[in-house]
Amino acid sequence: MSSDRNPCCGRSASPKETTISEAEYDEIETTILEVARYYWQTFAIPESQSWLFALQRAESRFPGPNGAEVGLETLAAVQAMRMSRSSCFRFNNPSCAHCARIVSEHERQFMNIFQAVRAGRMGPARTHAMILCEGNDTDKLILRMQALAKVAVPELSNDVVSESHAQLA
């Protein structure tokens, strides 16, 4: 990753960061990251009200009732992570074209959890969650990621989601 400063925003990537293209996220993963970023921005800058963009993006990518569900499940996953972490979470500005191409180390861990859950690889999902949540409880984050994977990728096995919803109840 080049560390040249962007003349627009002045942001330069750190050595631990990568780009979305280097991460090889598919369209679903890229959308989940973008939606999550708008929620993180809302918590960092409440007056931005960027949660509205999060829902709009989820609904435009996932038409019908799945869009709202993806938006809400992404928020639930973000909130579960926020409740477990104790230090600052670093994310990139979804409203800056340059910054939005960069994936922070924390964002990468969040997405690694989603990718592992989506692939049914719960061991790696739990490992990434433990790293992201700094050794704190990860059960709710894992359950929320399972629910998110199910609404984002409806063809996933019902077993993944029915297990997560039963544990959330």
Side-chain angles (χ1 to χ4, degrees):
M1 173 97 226
S2 171
S3 63
D4 296 338
R5 285 194 169 286
N6 178 351
C8 175
C9 66
R11 166 94 163 78
S12 59
S14 78
K16 291 184 178 181
E17 295 176 319
T18 189
T19 64
I20 286 178
S21 61
E22 289 170 342
E24 297 182 346
Y25 293 152
D26 64 22
E27 187 179 350
I28 290 171
E29 294 160 348
T30 301
T31 302
I32 297 297
L33 176 59
E34 185 178 0
V35 170
R37 283 175 168 171
Y38 281 121
Y39 286 127
W40 293 320
Q41 186 175 53
T42 291
F43 291 117
I45 311 167
E47 63 274 12
S48 72
Q49 296 189 28
S50 58
W51 63 271
L52 295 166
F53 295 114
L55 289 174
Q56 179 183 33
R57 181 65 180 119
E59 289 179 331
S60 70
R61 169 56 181 89
F62 301 93
N66 272 18
E69 289 183 68
V70 167
L72 291 173
E73 289 297 348
T74 303
L75 175 58
V78 164
Q79 187 61 13
M81 180 213 56
R82 290 181 69 237
M83 298 308 292
S84 191
R85 281 180 65 87
S86 57
S87 64
C88 183
F89 181 87
R90 296 196 178 273
F91 69 96
N92 287 295
N93 181 354
S95 301
C96 172
H98 174 73
C99 294
R101 288 192 294 264
I102 301 170
V103 180
S104 76
E105 182 178 8
H106 296 154
E107 290 172 326
R108 186 167 26 106
Q109 289 298 333
F110 185 85
M111 294 306 300
N112 285 346
I113 300 165
F114 178 76
Q115 289 176 318
V117 165
R118 184 178 173 192
R121 299 178 354 191
M122 297 312 296
R126 286 185 181 89
T127 301
H128 290 296
M130 185 174 292
I131 292 167
L132 182 62
C133 294
E134 304 166 323
N136 296 312
D137 183 36
T138 60
D139 291 344
K140 287 184 180 173
L141 175 57
I142 292 294
L143 292 172
R144 286 307 185 183
M145 284 291 199
Q146 287 175 315
L148 174 57
K150 179 61 179 169
V151 297
V153 190
E155 61 271 9
L156 284 178
S157 160
N158 285 333
D159 296 338
V160 172
V161 168
S162 59
E163 175 185 326
S164 69
H165 282 294
Q167 291 177 6
L168 288 172

